[in-house]
Amino acid sequence: MADATAHAHEVTSNEYIQHHLTNWTYGHHPELGWKVAETQAEAAAMGFNAIHLDSMLWSFGLGIFFCGLFYLIAKKATSETPSKLQAFIEMIVEFVDSNVRESYHGTSKLIAPLALTIFVWIFLMNLMDLIPIDYIPVLAQKIGEAMGHDPHHVYMKIVPSTDPNVTLGMSLSVFALIIIYSIKEKGFGGFIGELTLHPFSANNPVAKVALIPVNFILETVTLIAKPISLGLRLFGNMYAGELIFVLIALMPFYLQWVLSVPWAIFHILVITLQAFIFMMLTIIYLSAASQTDH
């Protein structure tokens, strides 16, 4: 729950929304050099030479937390009297493993650990959306103010999956694995043949050659669309959820409770479903890349 009314005399509703949707950005400004952006305009001017510090901080932090937690539980695991946390993690591992066995038809030992990492990591990043939107940003503003910075120029987005740089970065990693698995299983010639000899084919050599450009364009578009849709789907759903929480925070206090609690309960399904979809599509894409039947 956000106490937006407490800031009403300081910022307008539009400024409040923009502030909560702006990343803590560091980059090279064409006129000011390397610095932390103090406004949206400065962040935009940095362009590609910028990094979202908050997205990196929270995504890496949650990744380290996930790996550390699973390592400790695995180290202390026992079959006699497992703790509730161990039982819960074993349930997650079995759930992911069963989906991998059903959906992936190759023999790679990488897919199950990859699927588990994707599911848990994305779920934890999405889960940050349920933290009241003003708690951590306001804390960051107070820390910044204590360090002599203007609190209105201190930004802190805590949901990495609402940053398209994070979601597309993850999807491009999956895309790289698709290419690697395709070449590994089919060879470079088989990979090129898949792009140029499908979906249209002909027995006539002349017609087959004539169809190569058409097939290449269609298959290339299909191939590139996979990581783009994978990343944008996760970003779009999580960004929309975050925006709704921000809009609810601008309402009177009693309406915040009435609307935010049901939305948060519903959003639990959304954040879990989005992690599951990203995981399943990754498994399916890699399974298709490993197929050599045709």
Side-chain angles (χ1 to χ4, degrees), residues 52 54-56 59 121 125 159-172 231 234 278:
H52 292 166
D54 43 11
S55 294
M56 295 297 99
S59 59
W121 195 19
M125 289 193 287
V159 188
S161 50
T162 60
D163 185 347
N165 295 287
V166 172
T167 60
L168 288 174
M170 296 179 69
S171 64
L172 287 175
L234 176 59
F278 199 105

Side-chain angles (χ1 to χ4, degrees), residues 74-89:
K75 191 174 182 181
K76 298 179 180 179
T78 174
S79 58
E80 298 178 356
T81 54
S83 64
K84 293 181 179 180
L85 182 58
Q86 178 186 330
F88 178 69
I89 289 179

Side-chain angles (χ1 to χ4, degrees), residues 201-268:
S201 61
N203 294 325
N204 186 291
V206 176
K208 181 179 292 188
V209 172
L211 288 172
I212 286 178
V214 178
N215 289 332
F216 182 74
I217 293 173
L218 292 176
E219 289 297 314
T220 301
V221 170
T222 301
L223 184 65
I224 295 176
K226 291 178 179 179
I228 295 176
S229 62
L230 194 63
L232 291 182
R233 180 186 295 106
L234 176 59
F235 160 73
N237 281 277
M238 296 310 302
Y239 187 84
E242 182 186 41
L243 183 58
I244 291 176
F245 276 122
V246 173
L247 294 176
I248 291 174
L250 290 169
M251 297 180 179
F253 184 75
Y254 66 92
L255 280 179
Q256 292 182 28
W257 277 104
V258 172
L259 297 176
S260 65
V261 173
W263 176 246
I265 294 173
F266 172 74
H267 207 53
I268 294 174

